[in-house]
Amino acid sequence: MTATEETKPARTRLISGPGMLLVWLYGVMVVGAVSRSAVQISTEFNKAPLAYSLSAVAGVVYGFITYSLVRGGETARRAALVCCAAELVGVLTVGTWTLVEPSAFPDATVWSDYGMGYLFIPVLLPLSAMYWLRKRARSAGSR
């Protein structure tokens, strides 16, 4: 081993156990949100530009979280945690907005009604991921 390898901490693996399920679920959400928004933006953007743009943003956020989980390491864990918190804020904001002012969204987004069209996965996923990521930080610290 070189001196550099000895001083580098090992990258924390984030996709073991329940983390693998999170990667799979986020991967499915990436495909769903990105493909849905791509079709809607390319075919009927003028119908509901805000809703379709928000679905595209959701897809990008899901993609970044998926990448961070696969990448692993403390920096990726923290980035994923921040993105999951932002995702949760987005889901709660858009979910509430769609209930309070439904006319603002002539068509649904991934986060409409707290993700009801996606079996509420958009609201449950960031909560589960944040719990897992915080748990991984504690277990990595105890090593």
Side-chain angles (χ1 to χ4, degrees):
M1 254 190 227
T2 66
T4 314
E5 289 173 338
E6 289 175 16
T7 58
K8 262 190 193 176
R11 185 178 286 177
T12 307
R13 190 165 156 83
L14 298 174
I15 58 171
S16 59
M20 191 57 147
L21 178 61
L22 287 174
V23 168
W24 186 85
L25 288 170
Y26 270 113
V28 168
M29 294 304 290
V30 168
V31 172
V34 169
S35 58
R36 173 186 178 153
S37 64
V39 168
Q40 291 172 321
I41 287 171
S42 64
T43 60
E44 52 191 10
F45 185 71
N46 59 344
K47 179 181 171 189
L50 179 60
Y52 302 153
S53 298
L54 286 172
S55 288
V57 167
V60 170
V61 170
Y62 294 146
F64 184 79
I65 293 169
T66 304
Y67 169 76
S68 296
L69 290 171
V70 170
R71 175 154 169 70
E74 183 57 21
T75 302
R77 188 197 66 77
R78 287 181 183 165
L81 191 58
V82 168
C83 281
C84 288
E87 173 195 359
L88 182 60
V89 168
V91 171
L92 295 176
T93 302
V94 173
T96 303
W97 192 0
T98 57
L99 294 176
V100 172
E101 187 59 47
S103 63
F105 296 91
D107 203 355
T109 74
V110 174
W111 294 341
S112 292
D113 304 318
Y114 308 107
M116 186 168 63
Y118 287 80
L119 305 174
F120 297 102
I121 291 171
V123 76
L124 298 173
L125 197 53
L127 291 170
S128 302
M130 289 189 312
Y131 172 78
W132 171 250
L133 290 165
R134 290 179 56 84
K135 183 177 175 185
R136 293 300 299 170
R138 284 193 298 272
S139 67
S142 64
R143 288 183 194 163

